[in-house]
């Protein structure tokens, strides 16, 4: 049994989840699998053998920093690993990063569409430099977004360029390196020492192409993510298992790499409850 770590999930405070989920469903033209609450996420984790989920928040305005940080502190547990959010237009961007670090959080989530920025904007370089120095993880939405016009904001080329300038940055490029830009992922990003997680790819990309990209990438830089509630954790695990990857690589993707990145203790084969491919 494999102890699964989901590196990319979302949820909302109970008092706004019932509004946020219908709004986002309409905006993206998709249906959520969960109701957007922490309780429902934990139920999904229990059903599917997920030990821990990284919960990624997105500040759509600079003033949301404080409320998101406080909620992140409230929901943090041995099952939920919150990543608060920083907004690029925040005049206190670097001090707020220091606050997040001082509170013991391991990473930050940013989204170039919902926050209206380009990943290679030089104004963000001091942020990337300081995150590198602190050893903090940056999760970004990579590639296009189903709810927005297809403007290249955090495409594979920008990701590669920024990571060249900041080789110490622990960057996670979501959606298999760049949603909807997988030719560029294969040609530009695959093979580079940049973390990629695989959420929201199985539903849109041929399974053989996913397998080719995974096998072309350094195995220690691959992570399991679902973007829950927008995909089902169990279904994504099942589709990954059906790729027929080597057992050792499967273990790295769903558990070993994320545990190392998050500073969690290693799990010996057969320990605990989890997902059986």
């Amino acid at each position: 049994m494999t102890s699964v770590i989901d590196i990319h999930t979302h949820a909302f405070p109970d008092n706004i989840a019932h509004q946020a989920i219908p709004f986002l469903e309409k905006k993206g033209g998709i249906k959520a699998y969960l109701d957007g609450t922490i309780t429902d996420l934990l139920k999904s984790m229990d059903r599917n053998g997920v030990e821990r989920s990284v919960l990624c928040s997105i500040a759509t305005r600079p003033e949301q920093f404080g409320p998101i940080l406080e909620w992140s502190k409230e929901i943090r547990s041995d099952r939920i690993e919150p990543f608060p959010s920083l907004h690029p237009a925040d005049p206190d961007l670097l001090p707020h990063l220091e606050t997040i670090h001082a509170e013991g959080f391991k990473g930050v989530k940013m989204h170039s569409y919902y926050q209206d920025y380009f990943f290679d904007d030089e104004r963000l370089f001091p942020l990337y430099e300081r995150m590198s120095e602190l050893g903090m993880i940056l999760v970004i939405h990579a590639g296009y977004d189903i709810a927005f016009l297809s403007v290249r904001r955090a495409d594979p080329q920008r990701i590669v360029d920024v990571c060249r300038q900041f080789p110490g940055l622990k960057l996670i490029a979501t959606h298999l390196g760049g949603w909807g830009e997988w030719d560029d992922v294969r040609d530009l990003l695959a093979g580079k020492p940049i973390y990629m997680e695989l959420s929201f790819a199985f539903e849109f990309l041929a399974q053989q192409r996913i397998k080719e990209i995974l096998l072309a990438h350094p195995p220690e830089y691959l992570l399991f993510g679902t973007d829950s509630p927008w995909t089902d954790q169990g279904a994504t695990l099942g589709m990954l298992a059906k790729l027929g990857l080597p057992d050792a690589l499967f273990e790295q993707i769903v558990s070993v790499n994320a545990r190392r990145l998050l500073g969690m203790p290693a799990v010996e084969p057969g320990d605990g409850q989890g997902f059986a491919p």
Side-chain angles (χ1 to χ4, degrees), residues 14-126:
D14 289 355
N15 64 330
I16 65 170
H18 69 286
Q19 296 175 326
I21 291 296
F23 171 79
L24 293 169
E25 285 178 329
K26 183 177 180 180
K27 186 172 181 63
I30 55 176
K31 183 69 177 174
Y33 285 80
L34 304 176
D35 68 9
T37 64
I38 296 291
T39 298
D40 214 20
L41 175 59
L42 288 167
K43 290 178 181 178
S44 172
M45 292 166 62
D46 290 341
R47 286 194 302 271
N48 297 298
V50 177
E51 176 187 354
R52 186 176 296 191
S53 288
V54 171
L55 195 145
C56 299
S57 294
I58 303 171
T60 57
R61 303 187 307 278
E63 55 266 29
Q64 290 179 337
F65 168 78
I68 287 175
L69 180 66
E70 291 306 309
W71 184 63
S72 297
K73 289 159 64 174
E74 292 172 11
I75 64 173
R76 179 165 45 183
S77 72
D78 59 352
R79 304 289 309 281
I80 301 295
E81 183 89 49
F83 278 20
S85 186
L86 290 169
H87 195 285
D90 188 343
D92 296 315
L93 189 63
L94 290 181
H96 282 163
L97 173 67
E98 299 290 346
T99 298
I100 290 172
H101 180 259
E103 291 288 352
F105 293 104
K106 298 172 183 176
V108 168
K109 172 66 188 287
M110 298 179 73
H111 195 301
S112 56
Y113 287 92
Y114 282 100
Q115 297 179 319
D116 191 22
Y117 75 98
F118 292 88
F119 182 58
D120 59 352
D121 188 330
E122 292 186 3
R123 293 176 299 174
L124 294 174
F125 285 4

Side-chain angles (χ1 to χ4, degrees), residues 133-182:
E133 294 169 350
L134 294 172
M136 296 187 70
I137 303 162
L138 175 60
V139 179
I140 63 163
H141 176 91
Y144 299 129
D145 187 288
I146 198 170
F148 292 84
L149 294 175
S150 296
V151 176
R152 291 192 165 191
R153 291 180 172 273
D155 55 277
Q157 185 64 67
R158 283 185 168 87
I159 290 168
V160 169
D161 289 345
V162 168
C163 288
R164 266 200 204 102
Q165 294 183 72
F166 302 96
L169 181 62
K170 295 179 179 178
L171 177 74
I172 299 177
T174 58
H175 310 308
L176 199 61
W179 192 83
E181 299 190 70
W182 290 299

Side-chain angles (χ1 to χ4, degrees), residues 7 172 195-198 221-225 253 257-258 261:
I7 205 76
I172 299 177
Y195 287 101
M196 291 197 302
E197 63 87 41
L198 47 74
Y221 284 92
L222 294 170
L223 300 163
F224 175 75
I253 293 172
N257 294 339
L261 186 60

Side-chain angles (χ1 to χ4, degrees), residues 259-273:
R259 298 182 76 87
R260 182 185 66 250
L261 186 60
L262 294 171
M264 298 171 62
V267 171
E268 295 299 322
D271 284 0
Q273 298 297 312

